[in-house]
Amino acid sequence: MSILVVRQDEKISDWVSALQQCDPEIPIIDYRDSHQPSDVKMMLVWKQPQGIFSTYPNLECVSSMGAGVDFIFEDPSYRKQIPMTRVVDPLLVSDMEEFVSAQIYNYLKGLHIYTGNMQQALWEQKPYLRKSDVSIGILGLGVLGSATAMSLSKQGFKVQGWSQSQKIIEGVSCYDGTALDVFLSQSDILVNLLPLTPQTRGILNANLFSKLPKGSFLIQVARGPHLEEKDLLEALDQGQISGAALDVFSQEPLDKNHPFWTHKKVLITPHCASISAPSSVAPQIIDNYKRLLKAQTLLNQVDTVKGY
Ligand code: GLV
């Protein structure tokens, strides 16, 4: 029995070696190498080739290499009765907290404006904001959302969060499903950390933007398809949204001709807010494999009905 590692970029070898180092006794297989499909008990995947799951008759667990699992649900060959797990990792959490904080401070102090001004040797002081000037709204209070909300609150920001079901987080005003409009009306900076499900696809749209205070700033660090890109461009042009830091896109890499690249109010990063570190994540994958062998409850299991 083995763990099959599936990923279509060069990072696959880092994952294979991290797992091998973690437990040299367990057969770890790169999916491109020859192997017997019936031996595969567990698959560790990231943006796998579509249809791959139907090849493995004895699959008992599919693990995502990251926090998100949307790309597994979207594969028609994945059957919901196969348990699915995702990564919950302290580095993934602190990386996200740091990235969102960096974007917030960049926005408050207008640092990206000065980067632009340097191209023209332009010496021009701009007004700036302070923590006390803004209220931050975190959309999605899962592992990453609640940790980010808590971290920002500890840094002295006024923070509120919204999630489908009611949460209680120290220092954070939590709103649930029914109170989205109230939450939005108080979010000067909106951070999207929702899971991507059929319910949340396209949630960042004109209707949602219209409920934010005029001139709000958007930080999009979840999944590209949450955002209606045309609606954002319109909201930016109308000044309803004053700027956006976008880390994820419906199509990645972002097309070279996409209007976001040249938009003055948009800051683009290449899906790098928080990236799983194989050596940090490997122990929980190996632990889950051993749990599978002993028919024990898996760590970080995804609710395949809810989709996150
Ligand atoms: C990154 O996007 C992840 O899901 O971990």
Side-chain angles (χ1 to χ4, degrees):
M1 285 291 155
S2 61
I3 304 178
L4 190 74
V5 184
V6 185
R7 169 168 192 137
Q8 301 182 75
D9 64 17
E10 71 291 349
K11 289 187 185 164
I12 187 167
S13 42
D14 296 342
W15 284 93
V16 171
S17 16
L19 293 169
Q20 279 166 344
Q21 269 173 29
C22 194
D23 191 331
E25 310 271 287
I26 299 175
I28 310 291
I29 299 165
D30 179 326
Y31 81 110
R32 297 164 303 178
D33 295 340
S34 79
H35 60 276
Q36 187 56 255
S38 57
D39 283 348
V40 174
K41 196 172 180 74
M42 179 172 179
M43 270 167 87
L44 177 62
V45 299
W46 186 253
K47 299 185 181 166
Q48 70 288 343
Q50 290 277 296
I52 195 167
F53 299 117
S54 48
T55 316
Y56 297 91
N58 298 323
L59 196 55
E60 288 179 30
C61 173
V62 176
S63 301
S64 167
M65 282 180 205
V69 289
D70 44 293
F71 59 94
I72 302 175
F73 283 114
E74 280 163 18
D75 188 325
S77 70
Y78 169 73
R79 290 151 278 142
K80 281 192 179 171
Q81 60 271 28
I82 303 175
M84 186 195 295
T85 66
R86 67 199 193 89
V87 170
V88 177
D89 173 66
L91 287 183
L92 208 56
V93 171
S94 57
D95 286 354
M96 185 56 85
E97 291 169 6
E98 289 170 14
F99 185 90
V100 170
S101 300
Q103 290 290 10
I104 290 172
Y105 289 113
N106 183 20
Y107 164 67
L108 294 182
K109 305 304 170 193
L111 300 184
H112 59 287
I113 301 172
Y114 298 117
T115 315
N117 288 357
M118 280 179 69
Q119 318 291 325
Q120 305 150 57
L122 180 61
W123 178 277
E124 184 179 64
Q125 289 178 348
K126 293 278 179 193
Y128 54 82
L129 296 167
R130 301 190 177 90
K131 279 178 195 175
S132 53
D133 294 325
V134 291
S135 169
I136 298 174
I138 310 284
L139 256 184
L141 294 173
V143 173
L144 296 178
S146 48
T148 303
M150 233 180 317
S151 155
L152 291 166
S153 159
K154 285 198 185 121
Q155 291 174 53
F157 284 101
K158 181 167 186 278
V159 186
Q160 42 169 349
W162 180 87
S163 55
Q164 200 51 254
S165 54
Q166 184 67 43
K167 296 273 163 66
I168 299 171
I169 303 170
E170 205 191 323
V172 178
S173 314
C174 295
Y175 295 85
D176 69 8
T178 54
L180 181 60
D181 289 4
V182 184
F183 162 85
L184 291 170
S185 70
Q186 299 166 19
S187 298
D188 303 308
I189 299 178
L190 183 71
V191 181
N192 179 36
L193 274 165
L194 284 168
L196 181 64
T197 65
Q199 290 72 39
T200 64
R201 187 172 282 269
I203 190 168
L204 301 177
N205 58 28
N207 179 40
L208 179 142
F209 298 145
S210 72
K211 292 175 178 161
L212 293 167
K214 193 166 175 67
S216 296
F217 187 77
L218 173 68
I219 300 177
Q220 155 66 326
V221 277
R223 284 291 183 263
H226 283 129
L227 174 66
E228 293 293 347
E229 296 183 346
K230 281 206 181 72
D231 290 7
L232 175 61
L233 286 166
E234 264 173 48
L236 287 166
D237 290 347
Q238 292 158 2
Q240 177 57 21
I241 303 279
S242 62
L246 307 176
D247 186 55
V248 289
F249 303 88
S250 282
Q251 189 197 326
E252 294 180 7
L254 186 63
D255 189 276
K256 287 221 178 311
N257 298 314
H258 198 290
F260 284 155
W261 283 115
T262 47
H263 203 295
K264 282 207 164 58
K265 297 180 180 172
V266 173
L267 183 62
I268 293 174
T269 48
H271 200 146
C272 61
S274 180
I275 299 172
S276 291
S279 56
S280 182
V281 170
Q284 66 185 265
I285 306 298
I286 297 294
D287 190 351
N288 264 344
Y289 181 74
K290 291 180 179 167
R291 284 166 180 260
L292 262 190
L293 296 180
K294 292 189 233 152
Q296 289 173 345
T297 313
L298 299 175
L299 303 171
N300 310 326
Q301 199 162 339
V302 172
D303 181 333
T304 55
V305 176
K306 284 207 268 178
Y308 58 92

